[in-house]
């Protein structure tokens, strides 16, 4: 009969947690791979011009992006402002919102106030413009940046295919 008696002193063994760090690092690695790091929701469609000699921006501190192009197809028509260049239908986007050339100075000063002092002194603006953007609009943006004391302007382009 003692064979069928329950041993009351016996305890349930604890959970083995030796593989828990491996599981946590695997999940962390998975989320690092699948996470999208884009900061701004693009509301502008642009096909950038092509170039043969490009330089990659290595220091990402103190950067501000200006997108110039036609309104994206998925954007609601109520969100599209009056165009900055009525002839070409181009709009300017900074930080997920449409702006006019006159608003650029105010937005640049707000961005500069959010940056660290050393980044604010070396602030650079990257202009990502559609290849069919009128040069007059790009020049107006450059003049507004110059009035805001931003003198480091970078133009974004795609690598040109050398096989042609």
């Amino acid at each position: 009969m003692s064979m069928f008696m329950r041993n009351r002193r016996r305890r349930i063994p604890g959970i083995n947690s030796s593989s828990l760090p491996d599981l946590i690092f695997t999940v962390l690695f998975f989320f690092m791979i699948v996470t999208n790091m884009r900061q701004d929701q693009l509301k502008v469609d642009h096909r950038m011009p092509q170039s043969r000699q490009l330089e990659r921006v290595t220091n990402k501190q103190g950067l501000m992006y200006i997108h110039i192009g036609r309104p994206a197809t998925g954007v609601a028509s109520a969100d599209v402002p009056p165009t900055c260049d009525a002839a070409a239908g181009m709009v300017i986007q900074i930080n997920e919102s449409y702006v006019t050339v006159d608003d650029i100075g105010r937005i640049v000063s707000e961005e500069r106030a959010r940056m660290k002092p050393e980044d604010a002194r070396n602030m650079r603006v990257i202009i990502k413009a559609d290849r069919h953007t009128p040069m007059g609009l790009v020049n107006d943006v450059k003049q507004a940046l110059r009035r805001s004391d931003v003198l480091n302007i970078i133009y974004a382009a795609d690598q040109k295919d050398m096989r042609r």
Side-chain angles (χ1 to χ4, degrees), residues 85 133-141:
D85 189 346
T133 302
M135 197 59 201
L137 180 59
V138 175
N139 194 28
D140 292 343
V141 170

Tab-separated table of all heavy atoms in Angstrom, residues 85 133-141:
chain	number	residue	atom	x	y	z
A	85	ASP	N	4.175	76.298	-56.179
A	85	ASP	CA	4.451	76.666	-57.558
A	85	ASP	C	3.252	76.212	-58.377
A	85	ASP	O	3.126	75.040	-58.721
A	85	ASP	CB	5.742	76.011	-58.044
A	85	ASP	CG	6.183	76.536	-59.386
A	85	ASP	OD1	5.374	77.206	-60.055
A	85	ASP	OD2	7.327	76.285	-59.776
A	133	THR	N	11.278	69.611	-60.637
A	133	THR	CA	10.993	70.809	-59.852
A	133	THR	C	11.621	72.015	-60.531
A	133	THR	O	12.790	71.971	-60.907
A	133	THR	CB	11.573	70.668	-58.432
A	133	THR	OG1	11.013	69.515	-57.819
A	133	THR	CG2	11.284	71.890	-57.596
A	134	PRO	N	10.855	73.094	-60.705
A	134	PRO	CA	11.437	74.286	-61.312
A	134	PRO	C	12.582	74.830	-60.451
A	134	PRO	O	12.488	74.867	-59.224
A	134	PRO	CB	10.277	75.280	-61.353
A	134	PRO	CG	9.050	74.473	-61.178
A	134	PRO	CD	9.434	73.259	-60.425
A	135	MET	N	13.650	75.230	-61.100
A	135	MET	CA	14.813	75.716	-60.366
A	135	MET	C	14.489	76.998	-59.603
A	135	MET	O	15.124	77.301	-58.600
A	135	MET	CB	15.970	75.943	-61.344
A	135	MET	CG	17.306	76.052	-60.686
A	135	MET	SD	17.637	74.546	-59.762
A	135	MET	CE	18.851	75.139	-58.625
A	136	GLY	N	13.480	77.745	-60.041
A	136	GLY	CA	13.085	78.949	-59.323
A	136	GLY	C	12.580	78.634	-57.925
A	136	GLY	O	12.876	79.356	-56.968
A	137	LEU	N	11.832	77.532	-57.772
A	137	LEU	CA	11.342	77.126	-56.460
A	137	LEU	C	12.495	76.678	-55.571
A	137	LEU	O	12.551	77.032	-54.389
A	137	LEU	CB	10.302	76.015	-56.598
A	137	LEU	CG	9.690	75.483	-55.314
A	137	LEU	CD1	9.002	76.601	-54.545
A	137	LEU	CD2	8.724	74.363	-55.615
A	138	VAL	N	13.439	75.928	-56.127
A	138	VAL	CA	14.610	75.502	-55.360
A	138	VAL	C	15.420	76.725	-54.942
A	138	VAL	O	15.908	76.806	-53.807
A	138	VAL	CB	15.464	74.503	-56.173
A	138	VAL	CG1	16.742	74.156	-55.435
A	138	VAL	CG2	14.674	73.246	-56.488
A	139	ASN	N	15.546	77.705	-55.830
A	139	ASN	CA	16.284	78.921	-55.510
A	139	ASN	C	15.569	79.705	-54.406
A	139	ASN	O	16.222	80.277	-53.523
A	139	ASN	CB	16.450	79.773	-56.760
A	139	ASN	CG	17.473	80.863	-56.564
A	139	ASN	OD1	18.391	80.716	-55.775
A	139	ASN	ND2	17.309	81.953	-57.285
A	140	ASP	N	14.231	79.764	-54.425
A	140	ASP	CA	13.479	80.438	-53.366
A	140	ASP	C	13.708	79.760	-52.010
A	140	ASP	O	13.859	80.437	-50.985
A	140	ASP	CB	11.987	80.448	-53.685
A	140	ASP	CG	11.652	81.335	-54.865
A	140	ASP	OD1	12.497	82.178	-55.245
A	140	ASP	OD2	10.538	81.164	-55.428
A	141	VAL	N	13.757	78.427	-52.002
A	141	VAL	CA	14.031	77.690	-50.765
A	141	VAL	C	15.443	78.000	-50.281
A	141	VAL	O	15.669	78.231	-49.085
A	141	VAL	CB	13.824	76.172	-50.974
A	141	VAL	CG1	14.328	75.376	-49.792
A	141	VAL	CG2	12.368	75.855	-51.244
